[in-house]
Amino acid sequence: MTFKQVKHISKENLLLLVIYCCVLMFCIFNDPIYSFDTYSYLRAMPYRQMGYVIFLKNFSYVFGSYFEELVVFIHAIVSLFGVHYFYKQVSSIFNLNNILKFILVGILLIPFFPPLLIANNLCSEGLGYGLYLLFIAIGLNILFKNKRKDIKFYVIVFLVLVSMRSQFLISTLIFAGVYFLMYRKSLFQRKHLLTITIFCGLVLVASISERSYHKLKDGFFKPTPLGFTSASTAPIYISDTTDYLLIDKKDYREILKMSYNTLTNKDLLLKPNQTPEEDYLFFHKNLPKICNQTVREEGVAYYFKQTVPEGWSENQANSYPFFEAEAACKVYTFTLIKAHFKKWVQLFYTNLTYGFYSPLLLFFVVIMFFFSLIKTTFYYQKKYAVLFLLSSLILSNALFIAFASHSIQRYLFYNYALLFLLFISTLKLLKREQ
C-alpha cells in the first residue's frame, strides 16, 4: 500500500468520524421520544418480542430515571457502528467510487433524522437498524468474499436481530437460497452443507428461542401474539356484516361480530364507491384504530372475562387473552381473505405499491428479481447473484409488511440502501453488456 493510498484512507475515515460525531451529537441533544410501543415494551406485554423488552427493562431498572438518555446513546452507537461496517464492506464488494460512497452514507444516515429519529425513539428500530446492516454486511462477506469464518458473527447478529424485529425472520433463507445457487454443483461438500444448514436452521433456533421466552415469562410455549392480530386488520376492514357466520368456533364468531359492530360504529370499515387508492389511504391512516382499538381490544377483553382453569399462574391468566386473540385473528385472516379475495388483493397490491412510492419502482425490483433468478440459476456469475440477493431482500420485507401491516416509512426504511445498491448494480450491468 502506497503512502498516497494510506493518506486517502485516513482522510476518508477522518471525514466519516466527523460525520458520525455530528450525528451522535444531534441524537444526544434531542429528547428521547416515548410512543405507545415504548410503554408496552416497558410493561413487557405478551405481544412484544423478547429482545427489546429485555434491553429496555434492564436499562430502566439499572439506571432509573436517567435510562432514556443512555438508551438514546446506545441506539446511536449501535446504529452508527452498523452504518460504518455496512458502508465499508459494501464499498469494497460493489467497488463504489467516491461520489457513490458519499450518496450511500447520506442514505444510511437518513433514519437518524426526522421524521424517523430512530435513535431517539424508544422502540426496537433503534437497535434493529444497526443490527440489520451488520447482518446484511456479514452475509455479503460470507457469500461474495468467501469469509465462512464470519458465520459465527452472522448467527449471533441474526438471532439478536429477529428477537427484536421478526419481519426479517426469512431473510436468512434468502442467503441460503443464494448460497445454494452459487455452490449447487459442489453442494454435497461438507463445508457447503454445513453453511446451508446453519442458514436454514437459524429460523428454527429463533422460533424455539421466542417460544421459550414466552414459556418462561407468560407460561405458554407459543410465538409472540402479534403477527396475525396485525395481519387480520386488512381482511376485517373489507369484511361484511354476516362474515362471522363463516367462523366455526363460537368464541371467535362472537369476537368478530363485536369487532365488526365496533368498527361500524366508529366508521372504520371499507366504504362503498371508492377507488382502491382511496380504500387503502383510509386504511393506511386508520390502521392503529382498526387494529389496536377494536380487533385486539375486543378479543383480549372477551377472554379476560372468561374463567381461567384452576392451577394457572397469574402470568398465564394475564397473557392467555393475548395468545387466544391471536389464534382467533389467524382464523379471521385466512377465512376472510378467502371470502373476499379480490378486494383483499386490491388492498394488498395498493399497500405494496404505496411502500415503493411508485408502481414503476416496484416493477423494477420485481423484474430484476426474476431476471437475476433466471441468470443465477442457469448461468451463475457474481453480478447476477448480487442482483438476486438485493431484490429478494427488498421484496421479502415489502411483501411481509404489506401482508401484516401498512406500508409506513418506519417499517420500510431498511430497504433504502439496498434499493440504491440494486439501482447501481443494474446500471453497471447494463454498461458492461452494451
Side-chain angles (χ1 to χ4, degrees):
M1 184 176 289
T2 66
F3 174 75
K4 288 185 177 180
Q5 287 175 319
V6 172
K7 186 177 179 181
H8 172 72
I9 292 174
S10 63
K11 282 184 177 180
E12 178 183 297
N13 287 334
L14 180 61
L15 177 60
L16 288 171
L17 181 61
V18 171
I19 292 172
Y20 297 154
C21 286
C22 290
V23 174
L24 181 61
M25 291 300 103
F26 173 84
C27 296
I28 291 174
F29 287 106
N30 277 276
D31 293 333
I33 301 170
Y34 276 80
S35 66
F36 176 81
D37 289 356
T38 306
Y39 295 103
S40 62
Y41 283 115
L42 287 170
R43 293 169 60 194
M45 297 299 290
Y47 55 85
R48 291 302 173 199
Q49 290 181 269
M50 65 175 178
Y52 199 71
V53 167
I54 294 171
F55 169 79
L56 200 62
K57 283 189 71 67
N58 281 336
F59 268 76
S60 66
Y61 176 78
V62 174
F63 299 101
S65 59
Y66 299 100
F67 87 97
E68 300 103 326
E69 288 78 10
L70 188 56
V71 166
V72 170
F73 178 78
I74 297 299
H75 281 179
I77 292 296
V78 171
S79 295
L80 286 171
F81 178 75
V83 165
H84 183 71
Y85 187 80
F86 181 87
Y87 163 80
K88 285 294 185 179
Q89 305 310 314
V90 163
S91 297
S92 171
I93 293 171
F94 290 82
N95 194 26
L96 302 180
N97 60 36
N98 288 334
I99 295 176
L100 295 179
K101 287 180 181 180
F102 179 77
I103 295 173
L104 177 62
V105 170
I107 292 172
L108 290 171
L109 294 178
I110 286 174
F112 290 89
F113 300 98
L116 288 170
L117 292 166
I118 58 162
N120 294 84
N121 196 355
L122 304 182
C123 287
S124 59
E125 289 87 354
L127 295 178
Y129 182 51
L131 291 168
Y132 182 69
L133 293 177
L134 287 173
F135 164 67
I136 297 299
I138 295 170
L140 287 170
N141 282 340
I142 293 171
L143 290 181
F144 304 118
K145 288 187 174 181
N146 202 27
K147 291 187 176 181
R148 288 190 181 85
K149 64 180 182 179
D150 287 355
I151 194 75
K152 55 183 178 294
F153 302 115
Y154 178 94
V155 169
I156 295 169
V157 171
F158 175 79
L159 291 177
V160 177
L161 171 65
V162 296
S163 76
M164 299 191 183
R165 304 295 305 175
S166 61
Q167 70 189 87
F168 303 117
L169 181 63
I170 67 168
S171 297
T172 187
L173 299 181
I174 294 172
F175 279 96
V178 176
Y179 192 92
F180 170 80
L181 292 175
M182 291 174 65
Y183 297 103
R184 61 188 181 275
K185 293 181 179 179
S186 56
L187 188 63
F188 291 101
Q189 291 183 15
R190 184 175 178 274
K191 61 182 179 181
H192 297 321
L193 280 176
L194 180 61
T195 303
I196 288 280
T197 301
I198 292 173
F199 279 145
C200 296
L202 283 175
V203 175
L204 180 61
V205 174
S207 177
I208 292 174
S209 300
E210 179 185 27
R211 289 167 180 264
S212 299
Y213 161 77
H214 287 296
K215 178 63 176 177
L216 292 172
K217 186 178 79 70
D218 302 311
F220 297 100
F221 188 73
K222 294 183 178 182
T224 303
L226 176 64
F228 283 105
T229 303
S230 180
S232 68
T233 308
I236 293 174
Y237 168 67
I238 62 174
S239 63
D240 292 332
T241 308
T242 59
D243 281 345
Y244 70 92
L245 296 173
L246 300 172
I247 309 299
D248 294 329
K249 192 171 180 178
K250 180 182 176 182
D251 289 345
Y252 294 179
R253 286 202 305 269
E254 290 301 314
I255 294 170
L256 183 57
K257 188 191 300 185
M258 290 187 297
S259 298
Y260 187 90
N261 291 337
T262 302
L263 292 172
T264 301
N265 293 333
K266 293 184 177 182
D267 195 27
L268 292 174
L269 289 170
L270 186 72
K271 293 174 174 55
N273 303 320
Q274 288 192 151
T275 65
E277 289 74 19
E278 290 171 332
D279 291 337
Y280 174 71
L281 288 176
F282 182 84
F283 172 77
H284 178 89
K285 181 180 178 181
N286 293 285
L287 182 135
K289 295 179 182 179
I290 300 171
C291 180
N292 296 332
Q293 299 178 28
T294 53
V295 178
R296 178 188 289 161
E297 186 177 90
E298 295 285 358
V300 171
Y302 180 88
Y303 283 106
F304 265 121
K305 295 175 183 177
Q306 308 301 309
T307 303
V308 299
E310 290 186 19
W312 271 18
S313 66
E314 183 179 353
N315 284 347
Q316 286 177 306
N318 290 333
S319 63
Y320 173 74
F322 294 96
F323 288 104
E324 194 57 37
E326 171 78 355
C329 287
K330 182 176 181 180
V331 174
Y332 302 156
T333 299
F334 295 115
T335 302
L336 296 178
I337 286 176
K338 183 178 179 181
H340 305 284
F341 185 71
K342 183 177 180 181
K343 287 194 291 186
W344 180 84
V345 166
Q346 287 181 333
L347 187 69
F348 173 81
Y349 172 75
T350 310
N351 192 358
L352 185 62
T353 55
Y354 189 90
F356 282 93
Y357 298 101
S358 167
L360 291 178
L361 186 54
L362 171 60
F363 295 154
F364 164 69
V365 176
V366 171
I367 289 170
M368 295 314 301
F369 168 78
F370 285 108
F371 167 77
S372 59
L373 173 61
I374 293 169
K375 284 288 190 178
T376 307
T377 301
F378 296 103
Y379 183 65
Y380 171 75
Q381 287 187 18
K382 174 184 172 182
K383 58 186 178 182
Y384 300 128
V386 166
L387 291 175
F388 178 60
L389 177 68
L390 292 173
S391 58
S392 298
L393 289 169
I394 294 166
L395 275 179
S396 66
N397 188 32
L399 289 168
F400 177 86
I401 295 303
F403 176 80
S405 187
H406 56 160
S407 295
I408 57 176
Q409 192 177 13
R410 177 185 171 188
Y411 300 144
L412 294 171
F413 71 90
Y414 302 91
N415 284 345
Y416 293 169
L418 301 186
L419 278 166
F420 172 72
L421 294 174
L422 179 63
F423 182 71
I424 294 302
S425 299
T426 303
L427 287 180
K428 288 183 176 182
L429 179 65
L430 292 175
K431 287 182 179 180
R432 284 195 296 263
E433 296 190 354
Q434 282 180 351

